[in-house]
Amino acid sequence: MKAMNGDSAKQASRPIESNANILVVDDEPRLLQSLITLLSERGFYADAALGGKAACQLLTQRDYDLVLLDLRMADMDGHQVMDFMNRRDIRAATVVVSGESSFSSVSRALRRGAYDYIKKPFDADELIATVTNALSKRQLERSHDDVQHRLRKSEELHRYIVNSSPDIVFMLDSDGRFCFLNSKVEALLGYSCGELLGRHFRHLVDDQDVAKAMYTFQDPNINATNPRTIELRLKTRGSRKANRHFEITAFPMDGNALGMKATDGVADNVDAQIYGTARDITERKEAEAFINFQAYHDLLTRLPNRALFKDRLNLAITHARRNSQKLAVMFLDLDRFKVVNDTLGHAMGDRLLQAVSQRLESCLRRGDTLSRFGGDEFTLLLPAISSHEDARKIARKLISVLKAPFQLGEHEVFVGVSIGIAVFPDAGQSMDQLIQNADIAMYHVKGRGKDGYQFFNDAMSINNTTHRLGLERDLRRALEQNEMRVFYQPQVSAIDGHIVGVEALVRWQHPERGLLYPRDFLPLAEETKLIGDLSQLVLGTACREVRDWLSDGNQKVRLAVNFSPSQVEHPRFVQQLLAQLDHFNFPAENLEVEITENVIMNDLEQMSRKLQELAAHGIRIAIDDFGTGYSSLSYLHRLPIHTLKVDQTFIRGIRAGEDGACIVNAIVAMAHGLRLDIVAEGVETAEQLQYLRELGCQQVQGFYYGPARPAEEIGGLLTGQRQSVRISKAG
C-alpha cells in the first residue's frame, strides 16, 4: 500500500517528533533489529518486542505514540495484539509492517484501527514517511484531546459561575420600591438588603441616570417577551467609592407566581411588578475606556498618538479654512536622545521621554495638541495662530525649557530639540503636506547643528521625499564605490605665510552632478545614520595622506578634523578615535579635533571627561565657529581647549566701524589672556589679513590662500615650502 505521496516522501528524513515513543513488534529477531536500526539512523528511538505477547506486556507498562506491528507471529498474531489494544483503550497509532498482503488480511487490520499497511520487504523511505505521518496524526489527536479537555473544564467553570448567580437580582413593586434583593448587592455595592427594601430604586441610581431608569421601568411596552436592557451607574455605599456600571435587564412579572415568603431580602406583602438582574460591567467599561485611550494615545507618555494628532489636525484645517485663519504644525526631534538610550538603557530612555513630555506640555496653550509621533519624535498642533510670531514664541519656549538637565537616578543628562515648523496655508494645504514640510524643515535644523527651529519655505522643496530617497541611494553607492574625496584647506601662519596645518574637508565626486560640497549631502548623511561611515572614510584617508607628508619632513604640520555632534556624543567616541589613530599609525599630537560650542554645552559634564581623555593622549582641541554659539567663558577654563576658530561671519565685518571687527578684537584679546591659539576662518582679502596680523592672530585660513585642494596639490605646496626654507637657511 502506498504510504504517502512524493512530496511527503521527500520529508521522510526530517522527523517531526524524534522523541516519540515507538514500539516495534516482530517475531523475527533479524527483521526486528533491522527496523530498530533504520529508525535510529533517522533520529527515532524505539523499543523492541519479540512477538505479540511481549508487545502486549510492554503496552501495559508504557504509553506509546506508534506501534510498528507484524501480523504473522507464532505466539500471538498482529490482529490479536490490535484486539488487545482496543480492549484496553490503548490509543497508540498502529502501522502494520507485514508480508501478509491478502485483501482480507489488510482489510481486517484497517478495520481494527491500523493507520497504514506496509508490505515486506519495504522501502526505507516509504517506511520513514509513513512513520512521520502517523506520528503527525497522533500529535494532532493529542492536541485535539487537550483542547477538548480544556473546553470541558471551561464549560464546567462557566456553569459554576452561572449557577452561583454573580449578578444582583432584584424586584420592584408598582411604586418602584425594592421588594426583593439577593445578597450580591452587599458584595458589589456595600448595602445590606434590609437597608434598601422598601426604598425607591432612584436612591440607588446615580443622579445623572435617574431619568433614564424612570423611563425604562415605567415603559408601557415592556413585557415578558420584550424586556428592557440598559446601562446604569449605581451608587456604592460611602462617598469615597466610585459609582459602578451595571447592565440592567428588567421585565414585568406576576409576583404571586413565585410563591415568595417574607424572609431576608424579601419585603413583607410582596407585590412585585418588575423583575430584573444587574450585572456589574465596571471592568468592561474601564477596559473599553482603556482600549479607546490606547487607540488614540501613547501609553508611555500619555500623549495623543499619531492617529489622534492627525484627526485633530484635519479638524483644525477645516476650521482654519472656514474662518480664513492660520495654524502651525511643528515637528520636534530630540537631540542626543539616542546617546542616552544607548548608554543608560531603554528604561532610562523611557523615563527621559516621560520627563521631556511633561516639560513640553508645560509650554502649551489651551487647545494645542502635543503628540508623540514615534520614537523620540513629537508633533505639535497650534490652531488659530495670528502670525508666524506666535509659532516662533512657542518654539523658543520649547527649546528653552529643555535646556535644563534631566536627573535620571544618579545621572544628569542633557537633551535638545530640533523643530521644523509648517504654517497653514502657506506651507501646505493638507494634513500630509503640513506634516511632511515640518519634517523637512526639522532636518534643515539638524543639518546646521541641531537645537533650533526653522520655518518651512519653498526653497526647501528640493528635499522632498523622492529626491531624498534618490540622494540616499546615491550616497550609499558613493561610500561603496569610493566616490568621496578629501580636500585640504591650508591653515597658514599670519606672520610668515607658511602652512602650519590643514583642515580635512570632504567632497563628493558625483558621477552625474559633479563635485558636491558638504552642505549638499552632510544633513542627509546625519539623517540616514551614514555619517559614521563617512567620517571614518575621511579620517582614514586624511591620516594616510598627512602621515606621508609628516614622513617627508613636515613633522609640524597639524591635521584638523571636524566631527559631527552625533559622533562626539557617542559614548565610545574617544575609544574609536584612538583606535583609528593606532590603526593608521598617526601621531596623536599632530591631530586637532574641531567641535562646536553647542556640542560642548549640550552636556558639559560628559564632554569635559571626553576632552580631558583626548588631551591626555596629546590630541589638540579646537572650538569651531567660536562666537556663534553659547560663547560662555566658563567652559574655556574647565576644558583643555587649545585653539579658538573665529567664525568667518565676523571676519567679513573687518571694515572701519563694523561690529564684526569689534567682536574679533574681543575674541583675540580673550584668547591671548587665556593663552589660546587663534585661527581666523574665511580670510579673503589682504585688508583682513593685515588687520588680523596687527591684532596678533597667529593663524588664518580662507580663500586669500586659495580654496580647499586635493592632497597632491597640498603636497606640492609643502615641498615648495621646505625647499624655500632650505634656500633661506643656506643664504
Side-chain angles (χ1 to χ4, degrees):
M1 178 176 294
K2 192 69 174 175
M4 62 192 301
N5 61 33
D7 291 338
S8 300
K10 294 177 183 178
Q11 302 174 0
S13 61
R14 294 176 297 183
I16 62 153
E17 194 176 346
S18 59
N19 60 344
N21 296 323
I22 302 175
L23 178 63
V24 181
V25 185
D26 204 307
D27 63 348
E28 295 186 26
R30 183 179 58 80
L31 290 175
L32 185 63
Q33 186 57 46
S34 174
L35 269 174
I36 295 291
T37 301
L38 174 61
L39 291 171
S40 177
E41 289 174 351
R42 300 300 179 91
F44 295 102
Y45 300 94
D47 292 338
L50 190 61
K53 290 183 178 180
C56 292
Q57 185 175 1
L58 286 173
L59 285 167
T60 58
Q61 296 172 355
R62 185 177 181 185
D63 290 333
Y64 287 95
D65 300 292
L66 175 64
V67 178
L68 299 181
L69 181 64
D70 186 23
L71 290 182
R72 291 181 179 177
M73 294 183 290
D75 60 343
M76 185 177 185
D77 65 28
H79 297 293
Q80 292 173 312
V81 172
M82 283 188 281
D83 288 339
F84 174 83
M85 292 172 65
N86 290 332
R87 289 195 303 272
R88 297 293 185 94
D89 196 25
I90 296 172
R91 303 186 63 186
T94 303
V95 173
V96 173
V97 183
S98 177
E100 179 63 61
S101 60
S102 65
F103 176 80
S104 60
S105 182
V106 173
S107 177
R108 286 176 60 199
L110 293 177
R111 285 199 305 273
R112 283 177 166 82
Y115 170 74
D116 209 338
Y117 192 108
I118 297 178
K119 185 179 181 303
K120 295 179 183 178
F122 53 81
D123 177 76
D125 287 339
E126 179 184 353
L127 176 71
I128 294 301
T130 303
V131 167
T132 302
N133 284 344
L135 289 174
S136 296
K137 179 185 177 185
R138 181 63 185 135
Q139 185 176 338
L140 289 174
E141 289 174 348
R142 283 187 168 180
S143 298
H144 176 74
D145 291 344
D146 181 60
V147 170
Q148 291 298 319
H149 175 73
R150 282 184 286 162
L151 283 174
R152 285 194 298 271
K153 287 291 186 182
S154 177
E155 290 170 357
E156 291 172 3
L157 178 61
H158 179 70
R159 284 195 298 270
Y160 172 78
I161 293 173
V162 171
N163 293 334
S164 297
S165 299
D167 305 332
I168 296 173
V169 180
F170 66 91
M171 297 179 189
L172 302 176
D173 63 16
S174 56
D175 294 325
R177 297 189 296 263
F178 288 110
C179 56
F180 172 78
L181 287 157
N182 69 348
S183 60
K184 269 294 177 180
V185 71
E186 184 169 1
L188 295 176
L189 298 177
Y191 298 96
S192 67
C193 298
E195 288 180 273
L196 297 176
L197 289 176
R199 302 193 69 180
H200 197 276
F201 68 80
R202 65 172 174 267
H203 294 293
L204 195 60
V205 178
D206 185 279
D207 295 342
Q208 298 181 38
D209 290 345
V210 168
K212 181 166 60 172
M214 295 285 288
Y215 174 80
T216 299
F217 292 136
Q218 295 174 2
D219 184 359
N221 296 320
I222 187 173
N223 55 61
T225 60
N226 185 32
R228 288 290 181 267
T229 299
I230 59 170
E231 292 183 6
L232 297 175
R233 285 165 292 180
L234 301 184
K235 298 176 182 177
T236 57
R237 186 184 183 90
S239 58
R240 294 182 182 178
K241 295 183 179 180
N243 294 346
R244 300 184 68 81
H245 295 266
F246 284 83
E247 184 179 76
I248 312 295
T249 302
F251 49 86
M253 58 168 292
D254 179 5
N256 296 327
L258 297 179
M260 294 182 297
K261 299 180 180 179
T263 59
D264 289 342
V266 182
D268 293 334
N269 301 318
V270 172
D271 181 21
Q273 298 294 318
I274 297 292
Y275 170 82
T277 61
R279 170 157 294 179
D280 188 348
I281 59 170
T282 304
E283 291 184 1
R284 191 189 81 190
K285 297 293 286 186
E286 291 174 349
E288 290 173 355
F290 175 75
I291 291 170
N292 184 65
F293 182 88
Q294 187 177 24
Y296 293 102
H297 291 80
D298 171 56
L299 295 184
L300 177 65
T301 62
R302 316 295 287 181
L303 294 176
N305 62 9
R306 184 180 307 206
L308 182 55
F309 179 82
K310 288 185 174 182
D311 183 61
R312 291 184 180 177
L313 177 55
N314 264 329
L315 291 175
I317 291 173
T318 301
H319 186 269
R321 186 176 286 119
R322 182 184 302 123
N323 296 283
S324 300
Q325 294 177 326
K326 296 179 181 292
L327 64 83
V329 172
M330 293 185 178
F331 202 102
L332 294 75
D333 186 272
L334 297 184
D335 302 328
R336 296 174 298 284
F337 172 76
K338 188 176 186 301
V339 175
V340 176
N341 210 39
D342 292 346
T343 306
L344 303 182
H346 294 293
M348 286 296 187
D350 288 347
R351 286 177 57 182
L352 178 58
L353 286 173
Q354 291 170 334
V356 166
S357 301
Q358 292 171 4
R359 288 196 192 177
L360 294 178
E361 283 187 294
S362 69
C363 303
L364 305 186
R365 313 166 304 169
R366 174 175 292 184
D368 296 344
T369 297
L370 175 68
S371 83
R372 185 183 177 201
F373 216 62
D376 61 343
E377 296 176 335
F378 297 82
T379 49
L380 175 59
L381 166 63
L382 305 177
I385 62 172
S386 58
S387 67
H388 284 58
E389 188 59 31
D390 292 342
R392 184 177 285 109
K393 288 179 181 178
I394 296 293
R396 289 171 176 168
K397 196 172 182 181
L398 295 172
I399 293 169
S400 176
V401 80
L402 294 184
K403 285 192 181 297
F406 291 84
Q407 195 67 38
L408 302 179
E410 300 177 353
H411 304 280
E412 187 178 67
V413 300
F414 293 81
V415 296
V417 63
S418 298
I419 304 175
I421 309 171
V423 176
F424 172 89
D426 305 332
Q429 296 284 332
S430 68
M431 173 192 70
D432 291 333
Q433 282 181 331
L434 289 169
I435 294 175
Q436 177 179 319
N437 291 340
D439 188 20
I440 290 172
M442 183 272 294
Y443 277 112
H444 275 257
V445 179
K446 291 279 190 185
R448 66 168 189 253
K450 304 182 180 180
D451 208 19
Y453 67 90
Q454 173 71 55
F455 284 90
F456 176 82
N457 57 61
D458 292 337
M460 298 177 185
S461 60
I462 192 172
N463 289 314
N464 58 41
T465 303
T466 303
H467 173 80
R468 283 162 63 186
L469 287 175
L471 193 59
E472 178 184 352
R473 181 189 63 243
D474 290 350
L475 183 57
R476 293 183 185 276
R477 184 205 62 215
L479 291 171
E480 295 172 357
Q481 299 184 4
N482 198 28
E483 295 176 4
M484 294 298 170
R485 303 287 182 265
V486 178
F487 282 31
Y488 301 91
Q489 185 164 47
Q491 295 176 335
V492 178
S493 169
I495 299 172
D496 57 18
H498 287 170
I499 298 174
V500 294
V502 292
E503 180 178 0
L505 301 170
V506 66
R507 302 288 188 265
W508 179 1
Q509 190 63 54
H510 195 285
E512 298 173 0
R513 300 172 59 188
L515 192 67
L516 300 182
Y517 288 80
R519 63 177 177 269
D520 299 319
F521 58 87
L522 280 188
L524 180 65
E526 285 272 10
E527 174 191 344
T528 56
K529 313 302 182 187
L530 295 173
I531 189 68
D533 295 338
L534 179 58
S535 296
Q536 283 190 359
L537 184 150
V538 171
L539 181 60
T541 302
C543 285
R544 286 194 303 270
E545 294 176 342
V546 176
R547 184 188 61 203
D548 292 340
W549 301 338
L550 298 177
S551 302
D552 288 342
N554 303 287
Q555 294 90 346
K556 294 184 178 181
V557 171
R558 182 179 62 249
L559 169 63
V561 180
N562 194 299
F563 290 89
S564 72
S566 62
Q567 291 175 276
V568 179
E569 291 163 359
H570 193 281
R572 291 186 53 79
F573 168 67
V574 174
Q575 294 89 330
Q576 291 173 350
L577 176 57
L578 294 175
Q580 282 186 291
L581 295 181
D582 184 63
H583 176 74
F584 293 106
N585 194 26
F586 190 89
E589 60 272 14
N590 286 86
L591 178 68
E592 186 167 75
V593 171
E594 295 186 2
I595 55 179
T596 63
E597 291 177 279
N598 290 349
V599 172
I600 292 176
M601 297 306 296
N602 283 336
D603 192 344
L604 186 57
E605 181 181 349
Q606 289 287 340
M607 288 305 305
S608 177
R609 286 198 291 268
K610 291 179 180 180
L611 298 185
Q612 293 287 357
E613 189 173 353
L614 290 176
H617 285 81
I619 297 173
R620 294 172 58 87
I621 311 298
I623 304 302
D624 195 20
D625 301 333
F626 185 78
T628 61
Y630 288 86
S631 299
S632 171
L633 298 182
S634 62
Y635 76 86
L636 295 176
H637 290 283
R638 294 181 54 182
L639 301 178
I641 306 300
H642 302 89
T643 304
L644 298 183
K645 299 191 69 177
V646 185
D647 188 73
Q648 59 185 344
T649 56
F650 304 130
I651 303 302
R652 294 194 190 106
I654 297 178
R655 294 184 182 88
E658 292 203 9
D659 292 339
C662 297
I663 294 174
V664 173
N665 294 348
I667 293 175
V668 172
M670 179 190 65
H672 286 166
L674 296 172
R675 298 181 180 179
L676 299 176
D677 291 337
I678 288 286
V679 176
E681 298 181 286
V683 176
E684 298 179 354
T685 68
E687 178 188 5
Q688 293 170 343
L689 177 60
Q690 184 59 33
Y691 189 93
L692 292 167
R693 277 178 181 161
E694 293 173 357
L695 279 181
C697 179
Q698 300 98 333
Q699 301 163 31
V700 296
Q701 69 180 84
F703 275 23
Y704 183 77
Y705 290 100
R709 310 176 192 185
E712 55 270 19
E713 294 187 26
I714 299 295
L717 292 175
L718 290 172
T719 300
Q721 180 174 290
R722 289 198 312 274
Q723 292 173 349
S724 174
V725 170
R726 284 198 296 269
I727 292 172
S728 175
K729 288 181 178 179

